[in-house]
Amino acid sequence: MKKKNLLILNASPRAKGNISQMVDTIKAEALAQGAEVEVVRVGTLCVKPCMGCMRCRTEERCVLPEDDAQRVLAMICRADALVVASPCYWGNIPGTLKLLFDRMVYGLMGENAVGFPIPLHRGKRCALLSTSTTPWPFNILMHQSSGAIRAVKEICGYSGFKIVAKIEKGGTKQHTELSEREKNKCRRAVRRLLK
C-alpha cells in the first residue's frame, strides 16, 4: 500500500513557538503512522506578490518568473493531506501565507464560465491550526485565532479540501508550551488526516 504524503505549511516565524510545537507533534505522529511528511516554513520562502493580472485563470499558470510559489503548489498537488498552521495576525493570517495562497490560486481552484469556483483538490483532507496571544475563550469570541481559521477554511474549502480538524489555542503569551491535552488533539487530527 502506498504511503500517504502529508504536507505541512508552517506560517509561524517562531521556530519554538506554539504553532511550531503543534507542527512538530503532528509530524512525529504522522511519521509514526508511516506517512511521508514535508514541512514548509512559509516565512523563509521567496514569493513575489500577485499582480492581479488574472492571466493565470486562462493560462492555468502564473506568468511571473518561477519562485517558491510554484514549488509549494507542486507539493500541494502531490500531497494526500494538508496541514495549514498559522498564528493570528490582527484576526487573520500572516501576510506571507496570504501572499503564497494568492500566487497559487490557479492550482487550487478553477472557475466555470460564469466565475463560480471549481475545486481542484476534492477528496484530499486538511487540518487547520491557529494560535493567539488573546486568552481563551476570547481568542474565539473576539475572532482572533478563529479569524485566522476562517480565512484558511475559505481558501481550503473552495479548493476542495475536506477539513477534518480545527485546533485553536489562545493565551500563548502565558502558556508558551503545549499541554499534553493539546498534543493529543494534534495526534487525533493526524489520525483523521491519514484515514
Side-chain angles (χ1 to χ4, degrees):
M1 188 165 124
K2 179 186 169 273
K3 279 186 172 186
K4 295 265 185 169
N5 184 323
L6 175 63
L7 176 62
I8 304 172
L9 300 180
N10 179 351
S12 175
R14 297 181 180 191
K16 305 277 187 212
N18 280 265
I19 285 288
S20 294
Q21 291 173 50
M22 289 177 170
V23 164
D24 291 345
T25 302
I26 285 174
K27 179 180 178 183
E29 181 66 21
L31 289 170
Q33 299 279 333
E36 293 178 4
V37 182
E38 293 180 279
V39 178
V40 173
R41 294 192 54 85
V42 175
T44 66
L45 300 176
C46 181
V47 178
K48 291 190 190 247
C50 175
M51 300 183 312
C53 70
M54 303 300 283
R55 286 176 46 199
C56 66
R57 299 302 192 149
T58 54
E59 296 185 24
E60 296 181 356
R61 67 175 188 83
C62 183
V63 298
L64 291 174
E66 190 163 322
D67 60 21
D68 287 333
Q70 289 91 342
R71 185 179 64 82
V72 173
L73 178 58
M75 294 168 82
I76 290 173
C77 291
R78 283 194 308 269
D80 299 302
L82 176 67
V83 173
V84 183
S86 173
C88 167
Y89 283 20
W90 289 97
N92 212 312
I93 58 178
T96 52
L97 184 59
K98 176 69 166 71
L99 178 65
L100 178 64
F101 280 129
D102 285 349
R103 284 287 308 287
M104 299 186 304
V105 66
Y106 66 94
L108 298 173
M109 64 174 226
E111 287 182 335
N112 69 12
V114 293
F116 283 107
I118 299 169
L120 300 178
H121 295 273
R122 194 175 299 279
K124 294 183 179 185
R125 294 171 178 256
C126 183
L128 311 178
L129 317 175
S130 186
T131 59
S132 172
T133 57
T134 306
W136 185 88
F138 301 102
N139 62 305
I140 295 168
L141 297 173
M142 295 170 70
H143 306 291
Q144 294 302 300
S145 60
S146 62
I149 293 286
R150 177 197 41 76
V152 180
K153 181 180 174 191
E154 194 85 0
I155 294 163
C156 293
Y158 279 116
S159 300
F161 288 94
K162 179 180 180 183
I163 297 162
V164 298
K166 292 183 270 185
I167 302 171
E168 297 178 55
K169 179 179 179 177
T172 59
K173 195 175 207 175
Q174 295 82 18
H175 306 285
T176 58
E177 300 293 323
L178 288 186
S179 68
E180 198 54 40
R181 181 172 177 247
E182 291 161 337
K183 289 178 184 177
N184 284 332
K185 279 185 185 179
C186 293
R187 293 178 187 118
R188 284 193 300 273
V190 171
R191 291 191 282 275
R192 282 186 234 129
L193 282 166
L194 300 180
K195 259 187 175 177

